[in-house]
Amino acid sequence: MQEQLIQQGKFLYHDIAQRICEDFRKEAKLPSERNLALHYRCTRTTIRTALDLLQEKKLLTRQPKHHKRSLVHPALVTEPEPSDCSSALLLLGRENLKDPNYMDFVAGCFDQAYRENIILTTWTLPRPDEPDAPAAPPVFPASGRPDGYIVAGKVNMEFLHALHNSSLPCVFLGNQISKLRLPEHHFFECYLPQEDKYEMVLRKFLDLGHRRILALNFDEYRNLVQRLYDEYQLPFEDFAFVNVPWSIQSALKPLQEKSAEIARIAGNYTAMLVPFGNVIGFDIYMALIKAGIRIPEDLSLVYDSGKPEWFVPHFKISTVFSSAWDEGANCVKELKRQLLNGEPLGGIHYTEYRFLDNGTIAPPPGKKK
């Protein structure tokens, strides 16, 4: 049954592309992505991928200026040969599954896996400290083991040793391997260097004239803050650290109380760094507005989130942008490269990021810096 589901997922885009060819071969112009999604009862992402497939097969022409897409001829998409497929296991952290950015990463993995002709199967990891935390990755019932692994969650040392002993390519999302300082391994990491990113944001604030800065869940970067404040000859006490426990994310009243507390503290500062853009970030933003704090007139706000516009007008706050979808695609690309080379290789790929300045301004006149 599991193998049938894998095959169904693999040929989903092909099936939609074929149906588009059959249903609209006599039309001069294809319907919009939205109308196609409604017609086939699927997401616009699925439609977009199917249209990309048609274009790759030279069965679709695009005229962007005229918003026109037309089929070249009614030929159907050639079905890929299953024998050319590789298989990989995507290991997901259970605690991350409610994060929209994390699910963007998963979608990027599946999209690139389809393009690379890799059958990707997911398996959910419990936290390493849980009693049922596994000591080794699972195997496929049919083939015995996959051709490689993508690890997007934290695992214990026993699990890491099992991955190392498998001699298969292992690509990690994040820098947990670098933090462990393992003496020998063949693991490849794809991540955004957090400390470099946060130094860029803090320097941006300090160069604009901010002195009193508030940061959430920032304790592990105290040395970075101390170094920068010494460099700018500022008192370290002007920087405030506030912790927001992840456990309150799904508890409405504790989350609202914590957000209100943060809003009261933020009234004494001119800039704030929020390292998440999920429901906690949304609740904090609403608490700031409720407290009468104008953004960005009273408080310059930076969110460490790829898509804060999901819940906040994009012109209100600045963001450190990195595409979780692209991170997922990069993991699969690296896995494919190692599969083609025929041996696992260790290394690091730094995810690209950029600062989107949508409202970071100098401290307002008259407000204590």
Side-chain angles (χ1 to χ4, degrees), residues 123-137:
W123 192 67
T124 306
L125 291 162
R127 290 190 296 272
D129 57 348
E130 291 185 7
D132 59 344

Side-chain angles (χ1 to χ4, degrees), residues 20-21 24-31 51 54-55 58-63 66-74:
I20 290 174
C21 282
F24 299 99
R25 60 189 177 189
K26 295 181 180 179
E27 302 293 332
K29 177 183 176 181
L30 285 179
L51 294 176
L54 289 172
Q55 191 167 7
K58 302 188 184 303
L59 300 178
L60 181 74
T61 60
R62 295 177 185 257
Q63 299 179 28
H66 301 285
H67 303 286
K68 181 179 179 181
R69 287 177 294 213
S70 305
L71 294 172
V72 175
H73 55 75

